[in-house]
Amino acid sequence: LDAGETNAAKRILASCRRELRSCLWELRSNAIDAENLADAVRETIAPHLGDRKAVIDIDIPSSVLSEELRHAALRIIREATVNAIRHGRATTVAISGELSGKRLSLTIVDNGRGFNPSTVHGSATGHFGLLGMRERAKAFNGSVNIVSTPGSGTEVAVVLENRTEHNFGEESTDRDKSNT
């Protein structure tokens, strides 16, 4: 504001308000406790769909994923879905996922109007969605890859690593053996 960038400040404030509303919804949501990831996804994106269609193809029990991973996956899926609807004007979003070993792979494909990923507005203009998705993925040794061109929809491919609890007793024993 001191620099006279009131329009940028207003956009950043609006983005912060949206994120705060989203966080408050999550505090009240039971989606993370659903028995399987597909039901959790349905509950997470339902408030954003309106009259749009979502096709969900995920057959992963929630119990095999850490709570932190489920939370990150749901936040990423929600952000990709909201972007598809709000910015891409998509009428259909298809979400698929599979677990292979410790790798959770998710794909969110929409029939929206697409965009050029290299010209996306960033945090400097109050747009934090794609940055947030990438940061969440990075926290799980993962990645977010976006493929889109104007007029042809968007595909968001996400890979996350399912971290398991460590047995610190065995880990310290192994470390002690290597030091002797």
Side-chain angles (χ1 to χ4, degrees):
L1 289 173
D2 291 337
E5 294 293 325
T6 56
N7 287 335
K10 287 178 184 177
R11 286 190 301 272
I12 291 170
L13 183 57
S15 177
C16 290
R17 283 184 183 138
R18 284 190 301 272
E19 184 66 19
L20 180 58
R21 281 189 205 108
S22 175
C23 290
L24 291 172
W25 176 82
E26 283 180 7
L27 289 173
R28 295 189 308 255
S29 173
N30 293 324
I32 199 147
D33 297 325
E35 280 191 41
N36 60 64
L37 192 55
D39 288 343
V41 167
R42 279 185 197 90
E43 187 173 335
T44 298
I45 65 172
H48 308 285
L49 287 176
D51 60 350
R52 288 128 191 132
K53 180 180 176 185
V55 177
I56 300 170
D57 181 21
I58 302 173
D59 187 21
I60 302 171
S62 292
S63 61
V64 301
L65 304 173
S66 70
E67 183 174 333
E68 294 82 10
L69 180 71
R70 289 192 314 265
H71 180 76
L74 292 173
R75 293 285 307 261
I76 291 169
I77 290 168
R78 186 188 65 223
E79 183 65 33
T81 301
V82 167
N83 285 347
I85 293 167
R86 182 181 297 149
H87 303 296
R89 296 195 174 106
T91 59
T92 302
V93 179
I95 303 166
S96 60
E98 67 179 21
L99 184 63
S100 177
K102 290 185 173 187
R103 304 296 276 189
L104 174 63
S105 299
L106 302 164
T107 306
I108 304 96
V109 178
D110 69 68
N111 69 343
R113 57 186 186 170
F115 66 100
N116 181 345
S118 66
T119 61
V120 168
H121 299 290
S123 59
T125 57
H127 298 274
F128 299 97
L130 297 179
L131 176 64
M133 291 186 338
R134 287 188 169 106
E135 287 175 347
R136 281 186 179 82
K138 185 176 179 184
F140 287 88
N141 299 321
S143 62
V144 174
N145 186 39
I146 299 170
V147 176
S148 184
T149 55
S152 67
T154 301
E155 177 178 313
V156 178
V158 180
V159 176
L160 305 171
E161 184 176 312
N162 191 25
R163 295 183 285 210
T164 57
E165 295 297 319
H166 296 286
N167 183 334
F168 292 105
E170 288 179 17
E171 191 174 315
S172 62
T173 303
D174 291 342
R175 196 176 326 121
D176 292 341
K177 287 177 186 175
S178 66
N179 289 334
T180 55

